[in-house]
Amino acid sequence: MGKIKVAVFGCGAIAQRRHIPEYADNANVELVAFADPILERAQEMAATYGGTSYASYEELLKNEKVDAVSVCTPNYLHAPMAIAAANAGAHVLVEKPMATTAEEGEQMIEAAKRNGVFLMVGHNQRLMPPHVKAKELLDSGLLGKVLTFRTSFGHPGPEAWSVDGRESWFFRKEEAIMGAMGDLGVHKSDFIRYLLSDEVAEVAGFIGTIDKKDTDVDDNATCIVRMKSGAIGTLVASWTQYKGGDNSTVLWCEKGVMKIGTVEGDEVIIELTDGTSETFKVGAMATNEKQVPSGVIDAFVESIITNTPPTISGEEGLLSLKVILAAFESQATGSIVKL
Amino acid sequence: MGKIKVAVFGCGAIAQRRHIPEYADNANVELVAFADPILERAQEMAATYGGTSYASYEELLKNEKVDAVSVCTPNYLHAPMAIAAANAGAHVLVEKPMATTAEEGEQMIEAAKRNGVFLMVGHNQRLMPPHVKAKELLDSGLLGKVLTFRTSFGHPGPEAWSVDGRESWFFRKEEAIMGAMGDLGVHKSDFIRYLLSDEVAEVAGFIGTIDKKDTDVDDNATCIVRMKSGAIGTLVASWTQYKGGDNSTVLWCEKGVMKIGTVEGDEVIIELTDGTSETFKVGAMATNEKQVPSGVIDAFVESIITNTPPTISGEEGLLSLKVILAAFESQATGSIVKL
Amino acid sequence: MGKIKVAVFGCGAIAQRRHIPEYADNANVELVAFADPILERAQEMAATYGGTSYASYEELLKNEKVDAVSVCTPNYLHAPMAIAAANAGAHVLVEKPMATTAEEGEQMIEAAKRNGVFLMVGHNQRLMPPHVKAKELLDSGLLGKVLTFRTSFGHPGPEAWSVDGRESWFFRKEEAIMGAMGDLGVHKSDFIRYLLSDEVAEVAGFIGTIDKKDTDVDDNATCIVRMKSGAIGTLVASWTQYKGGDNSTVLWCEKGVMKIGTVEGDEVIIELTDGTSETFKVGAMATNEKQVPSGVIDAFVESIITNTPPTISGEEGLLSLKVILAAFESQATGSIVKL
Amino acid sequence: MGKIKVAVFGCGAIAQRRHIPEYADNANVELVAFADPILERAQEMAATYGGTSYASYEELLKNEKVDAVSVCTPNYLHAPMAIAAANAGAHVLVEKPMATTAEEGEQMIEAAKRNGVFLMVGHNQRLMPPHVKAKELLDSGLLGKVLTFRTSFGHPGPEAWSVDGRESWFFRKEEAIMGAMGDLGVHKSDFIRYLLSDEVAEVAGFIGTIDKKDTDVDDNATCIVRMKSGAIGTLVASWTQYKGGDNSTVLWCEKGVMKIGTVEGDEVIIELTDGTSETFKVGAMATNEKQVPSGVIDAFVESIITNTPPTISGEEGLLSLKVILAAFESQATGSIVKL
Amino acid sequence: MGKIKVAVFGCGAIAQRRHIPEYADNANVELVAFADPILERAQEMAATYGGTSYASYEELLKNEKVDAVSVCTPNYLHAPMAIAAANAGAHVLVEKPMATTAEEGEQMIEAAKRNGVFLMVGHNQRLMPPHVKAKELLDSGLLGKVLTFRTSFGHPGPEAWSVDGRESWFFRKEEAIMGAMGDLGVHKSDFIRYLLSDEVAEVAGFIGTIDKKDTDVDDNATCIVRMKSGAIGTLVASWTQYKGGDNSTVLWCEKGVMKIGTVEGDEVIIELTDGTSETFKVGAMATNEKQVPSGVIDAFVESIITNTPPTISGEEGLLSLKVILAAFESQATGSIVKL
Amino acid sequence: MGKIKVAVFGCGAIAQRRHIPEYADNANVELVAFADPILERAQEMAATYGGTSYASYEELLKNEKVDAVSVCTPNYLHAPMAIAAANAGAHVLVEKPMATTAEEGEQMIEAAKRNGVFLMVGHNQRLMPPHVKAKELLDSGLLGKVLTFRTSFGHPGPEAWSVDGRESWFFRKEEAIMGAMGDLGVHKSDFIRYLLSDEVAEVAGFIGTIDKKDTDVDDNATCIVRMKSGAIGTLVASWTQYKGGDNSTVLWCEKGVMKIGTVEGDEVIIELTDGTSETFKVGAMATNEKQVPSGVIDAFVESIITNTPPTISGEEGLLSLKVILAAFESQATGSIVKL
């Protein structure tokens, strides 16, 4: 088998900082084409990494025969682009949130199935070393059953991350549809489902624009979730943690507590009711300031090469998406929403 | 003015460990009578601190002329006892939660008013040095407006605290009415209202018995609250933090973050967006294991001596109670409850 | 089944500080008799813990029907006492070194077998929490194969430990036969065999009396050992580490290093070649100054109750003994000794 | 006196990283010629530091009049090159191990004596600030007599150090003769002799190729040594400490312990039996990753300028070499070897 | 209003490292001219920052119309240059000490007044974040009245700071007039006056050249000062703190102690008699090695723009100068000098 | 020689906490008599330690034949008592300050000489382990010449130390003559003389009653001293360091700095200009809260037993006294005082 020919749709921050360099570092991949409505961005990528550039992804699909596509565009384009790519016979890696409605998500899954291609969602949190270690420890049974938890993801907002700064699509509701919740909250709904091997049963949320000016996307979400197992917890996403932001999770369990990302340098800490404790230094989680390889691209490529369906599948992405959609519904209706 | 004659209703843990010794240490107070249905407990207190003992508080009120009463009994007795004491012309200090329904709370306030006595609620969290310092710092404006927050209070449950251990009234629903929420949650609803000088506008909660056996009182509550100012946050009360429990609050504000009770020994920490930080070592918060004077008794006595209405008044206690009652209502009805 | 009737032979330090109190704390045991040539010592134990006292263990065995015996006497008595006890039908727990020659050890094993009783050796190092955790981690495969190691046990000598101080039998060669090597070295030969699940193939040793005055027992031993697997390491026992003594083991493995007992408070540390590290705070190892329950007595009683042969069997004790006997032979003959 | 004309034989790692730059930094030296069978290496050095380049050291000696020579070649060339240089009237600084047999060593000493030149061996460990301080402290008598010790030098092997990586002569037995023992072990035999001002009386060693593939040079050596003073200790050299490697020495003495290189940043620590302790931060020891000037070149030049025989003489180098040769003999013969 | 046209007199260390770059960073300023008797220095500045260069400041004033001047020359030139600049209608920022006699200082103030320009002195210590915070805390009353204090400023001398090294004017008495006292002591007399909002009433000093060779300027001064409020303290300036130098101040007050600059990273620490403490990390103070913006230039520019007299006025500078002149008088006369 | 018969004059704090228990612990001493005008105090000591009790020291000297006397009374009694004891043929250990005038001091020396007895002064600072170590290090020459220094001794005042609290003679000028200066300042004048092996040449001081109420003894003294060697420094004694008090000394020397008592737990720290540093943990200095044996009594007894004049002689005590008397003169006259 030759190299996998990959096209990237959207050449903004996530494409420039993670997808494209990680494809470039993968010996099994050839980057063949880039699409971005701001053609200069696509050209710049092509100049650096090889391949051709397009202002339109439809043109790209028409002209190039690609094996796989990364969708790195504003949220509202995830579904149509992923479906178009699948219809063109390409495996699809789509950034999170995979879609902006459950219907879109189902159509994406359907399109992939119909075309015999893989659909993977960029939920990189599952692959971060502290999260991998936490999952391994929890699954070992050391801590017993999870009773309650809190998980949160907060930073000062995407102004410093996006290549467009304050002018980013992140702040335009018609393109982003969701703000902090789509950027960060869906990471945590995915992670908590994955970590607990459990599904969310009920959710309530307060979501709104508390501090950001001239935008109507949410900059904060505080939610409570009840899992099918009965465990309850809080889930927070914030773009206004101007100091004190983090990506942390704490699980209070029958036999002790697990703290993930609460102490710099001690990424996973377990304190047991028998008085012992264990600390795991497994490498920091990526932050906007400190990029580490996400592992997502390598996992996607591995799936294709080995013809193994991706673990972080469209179905998984959809379940995680539904949690945050339910939180939005809770905010809108004033009721607790069952899933 | 002579010494204030004080009677104590209920001689369990909170009376033995805080009320009675703090009255005994206050030079303006004379402990004159103790009531407890388990007469031996009252007798033991009388033997140690002087005064007479009763198995019935009604008998006590009939026989003794007291200036003030502390109500330290199971929750369901707070209201009737406080009203009886007020009707007997005594100032009343009632433990939290002040009552089990809003109606009871209003009747207590009414009884105090009618009899010209003070009604104070034992919300000692307001007087803990870290909380006093946090309030002072927040009021200074250094941090700007509070945007989001989390506040939680968790420990392994009252088994080790109560003089009756696992057989305590804390686990009997007909006497306790509420569990972790009445024990710990109402502390945090009171504290967050006080700290932010703000009122709760909406609340949703998941409350239940997740791990404790043979009881139907709640051992956990996770809530989201929206303040009238627009700030949103989470409020957690737990009796199943077998490790990793704490009494902490974090406020993310316009100009930085304030962390209260998150680092042992550094009780209040401020990190500002200008890159500076401030740390205040003001003494630990009381825990079940490490008792420090609550300050509540001294404040109550000071109110009486100076004839100044207590700051932690019945009205305040009622507003804090209503928050947790609303959370119970949210759990019961599946809707977000407005106050 | 009623309580196990236990007799203790020898009422010196190890009996007073570990065996007797741990039997007393075990609900399945009844201490019925104590023997010590210094009768007062036996009487004192009987006065405190109940039971009768004897100056002669033969008398004891003649007069008492016991289910089990602990042999806590000077080394030269281990074998005759253990055999006598076995012959009297009692299970035997003998302190380390189990014997002073291999022949004695074999006779003890034989006597136990013949009488249908268990023979266990007091190699408590296997039960210390840091060692238990180290074994579990090594067995997990995380570190790959062990390549080299060092293990050492050193302190300032038994003067402060023995109830007889400098006059202790520890310093009389005819009773102790061995010094630091029998006191500490055999612990480490047993532990390294156990930890690596491997047997010693070759050993060389320099053993001698380097600093202690008026004694000809060894106060120091430095050995090199080669395991059947090919791993090589050093094994040190010392009674002259007047400062800087410890009970530590370091394993250099294919995928990283494991450090046991090298950092106070961080009992087991793993550093992996992938750059991650793990720290386990599992409780300190017992030292002469800081006694913690050895776990040996509970394990012995559990064996008897469940009729399960003890893990730390006579056979195991004999293999560990042979290592140090080989080291003595190396010192005596000037050659490297194969086992 | 004009500048000392220096030639360097062998332009690999040790020449490039220490000898040549340290000569270049010494105002009394002129680098005049470089020899290396890979001529490009010699040319590169000449281009950078001036002087001429040769593929053959014999040619160099024939064509150039040099005052001094550094021998930085594979071990098997140390003796012939040093003798040739001495015969050419040049002072000789030879890397360790000075030779591969005692006979070679004696011939080198003889050649130097015959030609009236100095012979110095590159035992830089004596000059490292922590070792200088340790020697000064031990000589002060503060610690009393040394009783036991351990000294070890370990790292992941020369793959990352040598300019030829895994293809280095270090792994070819016919050129290296010895592996970890010649690379690291001889450093520690020299250092312990120097530090204790004592000679090794007996040695036993397990030496072998435990983990490195496709090589038959030793990658590990664990030895025991008995000094003439009676002190005993362990001496370890390892190329397979993939993590947890160090260059440390611990001395247990009559009045306390001295720890050298055991705590990062606290290079020398003394803990005394009187309860006091002293810590000396004197600068880190050089590692393969962190080069610091060895001091060896300056000392060699100083010897020549002041016409003072070097302290780290050929005789010293030979005594240190004999220790490791004895360890190899112990491995080969299965006996403890007396020196 | 257009940009402020600024000229700089003297292009040595303080001009190159603070004045000129800080002017260049200030959007309201245009650097128009530089004067230095070593014309190359002025030319180099002009080349880098724009503007013209002069060897003579008189020529500069004759040829350029400037709004403001920074005087960054040796001490003996401060007065004549500042007066000339004021007479030319320019606002003046003069480095400390503002003058070398009180008379000069008064003439400078008079000249500024007469010409309607501002005179500011470069006492940057008032603007350093730790000092700003200390002032704010002390003014809050938290600590009560200051009773005693010590303030000191020491480093190894100006050799490493001055662009001329050991040949600097700092060591030539006819140009410097004062040494450590004028360089560092006047900073502390200014700071202590400012911090305590108090004036010095009496001073005694030992001032001399203790260690510097070939110079007769003072390299050390140790003084005692009594404030008008009654507080007493020590004031030290040193150029011979070859290690252990700092810029620290400790105030012992009625209710606790304030430590400024005593612990690296914890710039201001308050310890109160009630047992609490507060730590403020507000950013390090500038040292010769670690330059941070002084804030002086911005404050000077702000004064001009807003037409507000500078806080660190000529009058303030004169009062601070008089303290150190009194110390010199004390040294000269052997008496305690009253101000 | 039999036991030395010792009498103690004055049974207050220093006698009860140091002199008497240290005599009692010295095997060569018999405590035979105690004198105190408050007879109960003397009786209490006699009851505890044996011996007889007197209200008058003259009576004691008349009735008892003693070999040695400790004078532990208010300052104004030191001279008459010491002289009386010497005249009675007893060796004398007198607390500091040895006297209240130089004349008294000379008479005491004369009386001792005339009677052939030893006169020792209780300057215990010389014997504190950190000070012993500091002296040893300074004398080694490691740091070169001392250039400048600061030494200070401060605490919250003798209220908590004296057995009479606020009513102590320490606050009555007619008995104490001096306050903080006599209590603490003379310790530091003695220590700095001893440490530097140098004499004070000039001194100036601000001494006064800054905060203590209802007393006219000095509660603070800040002095500058110039040594005969040319070194200059500050010397501070304070009774108003309510927080932040210490007993510390810093010496800035030619080759580095020595810090004594500046970091808790690291009693002596040396930082050298060559970048190295050394830390000595030699045991804490005694404070009022934490008493450690002073060593003074043992040294005094040793002098008597070995018939060796005490190092801390009357002559030494007088020189140290003269320094503080000069500081008082400086305060009184407004001039710098030469010694």
Side-chain angles (χ1 to χ4, degrees), chain E residues 232-250:
Chain E
I232 57 177
T234 61
L235 185 160
V236 167
S238 176
W239 276 356
T240 65
Q241 293 189 351
Y242 298 118
K243 290 296 285 186
D246 66 4
N247 177 358
S248 70
T249 301
V250 181

Side-chain angles (χ1 to χ4, degrees), chain C residues 25-49:
Chain C
D25 283 350
N26 190 308
N28 294 306
V29 168
E30 183 189 354
L31 281 161
V32 297
F34 303 91
D36 198 293
I38 303 177
L39 185 58
E40 292 74 23
R41 286 197 186 150
Q43 288 171 332
E44 201 180 314
M45 292 298 109
T48 307
Y49 294 98

Side-chain angles (χ1 to χ4, degrees), chain E residues 167-207:
Chain E
E167 302 310 309
S168 167
W169 63 265
F170 274 105
F171 295 105
R172 292 196 296 272
K173 190 149 194 181
E174 64 281 11
E175 298 178 32
I177 315 300
M178 301 175 251
M181 201 50 163
D183 184 29
L184 304 176
V186 74
H187 267 315
K188 303 319 289 270
S189 71
D190 185 67
F191 177 56
I192 207 73
R193 291 179 51 249
Y194 166 71
L195 181 62
L196 273 62
S197 302
D198 197 1
E199 295 299 332
V200 174
E202 292 182 89
V203 65
F206 288 154
I207 311 178

Side-chain angles (χ1 to χ4, degrees), chain B residues 133 136 142 275-283, chain E residues 133 136 142 275-283:
Chain B
K133 174 59 74 176
E136 173 192 326
L142 188 64
T276 68
S277 68
E278 310 187 356
T279 302
F280 300 85
K281 296 176 181 288
V282 292
Chain E
K133 175 58 75 175
E136 173 193 325
L142 188 65
T276 67
S277 68
E278 310 187 356
T279 302
F280 300 85
K281 296 176 182 287
V282 292

Side-chain angles (χ1 to χ4, degrees), chain F residues 252-330:
Chain F
W252 289 271
C253 307
E254 289 174 315
K255 300 186 201 162
V257 67
M258 173 152 56
K259 300 173 177 176
I260 311 165
T262 61
V263 175
E264 193 172 328
D266 288 347
E267 290 83 14
V268 183
I269 299 169
I270 285 180
E271 297 167 10
L272 295 172
T273 50
D274 67 7
T276 68
S277 68
E278 309 186 356
T279 302
F280 301 86
K281 297 177 181 286
V282 292
M285 276 183 278
T287 63
N288 284 356
E289 287 72 38
K290 188 170 48 178
Q291 294 293 319
V292 298
S294 69
V296 165
I297 273 65
D298 286 349
F300 179 53
V301 172
E302 184 75 7
S303 272
I304 298 172
I305 290 174
T306 61
N307 197 26
T308 314
T311 314
I312 317 177
S313 63
E315 286 79 359
E316 284 290 302
L318 181 56
L319 285 164
S320 300
L321 174 63
K322 283 179 174 176
V323 175
I324 63 163
L325 293 175
F328 278 106
E329 184 186 338
S330 169

Side-chain angles (χ1 to χ4, degrees), chain E residues 26 32 61 82 103 124 127 165 176 208 214 230 259 294 302-303 331:
Chain E
N26 189 307
V32 296
L61 288 176
E103 293 68 32
N124 59 33
L127 303 175
D214 304 320
K259 300 173 177 176
S294 69
E302 183 75 6
S303 272
Q331 167 65 35

Side-chain angles (χ1 to χ4, degrees), chain E residues 285-300:
Chain E
M285 277 185 276
T287 62
N288 283 356
E289 287 71 38
K290 188 169 48 179
Q291 294 294 318
V292 298
S294 69
V296 166
I297 273 66
D298 287 349
F300 179 52

